[in-house]
Amino acid sequence: MSASTPVALTRECDAIEIPNGTRKTLPSGTQVRIAHSRGGSYTIATDAGSMCRVDAKDADALGLSVPQAAQSLPAGPLTEQMVNDQLKAIFDPEIPVNIVDLGLVYSCSIAPGAEGGNRIDVKMAMTAPGCGMGNVLKADVESKLSRLPDVKEIHVDVVFDPPWHAGLMSEAAKLQLGLDLGGGDNTFPIFQEKH
């Protein structure tokens, strides 16, 4: 299937509007074109001229097979690894690297929620202060983390201090993008030790 081939949604599905990050439901029969797929989500253009992100769990609405990873979520007690795995499944729409390896996630913590369950707090940055995709990435984080076991609250804070820079990327991300920035890996350990 090419990006120029229109597809009619086979059922209604949830989407995140680009660039404002508003959640919406696209009705069955909506004509869309798939622009690209990264990290299990699809960027589509609708017949009304808007751009949206559709999660992998809704691939069947696009006439595609739902990836195995989207069919089953982790079970059992919530762990940092589960959170990290979900964050690594979120890709910057313009750079083919996940937000953890890109160095956008500055910190993440799991704590008991005020009304039971768990609360996850994430501090993240954008590659530039005026990045128009901030709300989309924030909505992606909220969506992915909300499906983890016993998560009742999610708070994502987009921060600009310290400013993001390419030196925060993991070595793997630098290699993937063909960057030789010298120096070591300056990425933030997203789950920091509590003292």
Side-chain angles (χ1 to χ4, degrees):
M1 176 182 310
S2 73
S4 62
T5 306
V7 175
L9 293 179
T10 61
R11 63 171 177 82
E12 76 174 25
C13 74
D14 296 329
I16 298 171
E17 198 165 22
I18 296 172
N20 62 18
T22 304
R23 294 175 192 277
K24 65 190 289 184
T25 300
L26 298 174
S28 178
T30 301
Q31 292 287 316
V32 302
R33 295 177 190 272
I34 301 172
H36 63 79
S37 173
R38 245 185 225 129
S41 66
Y42 302 89
T43 300
I44 60 167
T46 69
D47 56 355
S50 65
M51 298 284 289
C52 296
R53 295 270 290 258
V54 173
D55 195 88
K57 69 180 177 53
D58 293 313
D60 63 309
L62 298 167
L64 303 170
S65 298
V66 176
Q68 184 63 33
Q71 293 179 25
S72 59
L73 288 172
L78 181 66
T79 66
E80 290 178 355
Q81 186 63 50
M82 288 177 187
V83 173
N84 194 49
D85 290 346
Q86 290 300 309
L87 292 173
K88 282 191 163 200
I90 302 168
F91 283 69
D92 184 287
E94 300 166 329
I95 304 169
V97 176
N98 71 68
I99 63 172
V100 173
D101 287 334
L102 197 54
L104 295 180
V105 179
Y106 284 3
S107 68
C108 186
S109 64
I110 302 169
E115 299 186 23
N118 289 300
R119 174 184 168 113
I120 301 175
D121 290 291
V122 177
K123 284 192 180 182
M124 62 183 293
M126 297 295 113
T127 54
C131 177
M133 297 305 287
N135 287 334
V136 173
L137 288 174
K138 182 178 177 179
D140 279 351
V141 169
E142 291 167 346
S143 176
K144 294 269 189 201
L145 297 182
S146 69
R147 297 193 319 239
L148 290 173
D150 206 29
V151 172
K152 304 295 185 213
E153 300 173 58
I154 301 162
H155 179 75
V156 180
D157 192 18
V158 177
V159 299
F160 298 101
D161 187 29
W164 180 89
H165 57 86
L168 296 174
M169 291 189 293
S170 70
E171 289 301 315
K174 292 174 192 173
L175 285 171
Q176 184 175 351
L177 296 174
L179 300 177
D180 182 11
L181 300 173
D185 189 345
N186 295 322
T187 55
F188 291 97
I190 64 172
F191 289 100
Q192 299 179 9
E193 296 295 320
K194 295 178 180 85
H195 297 284

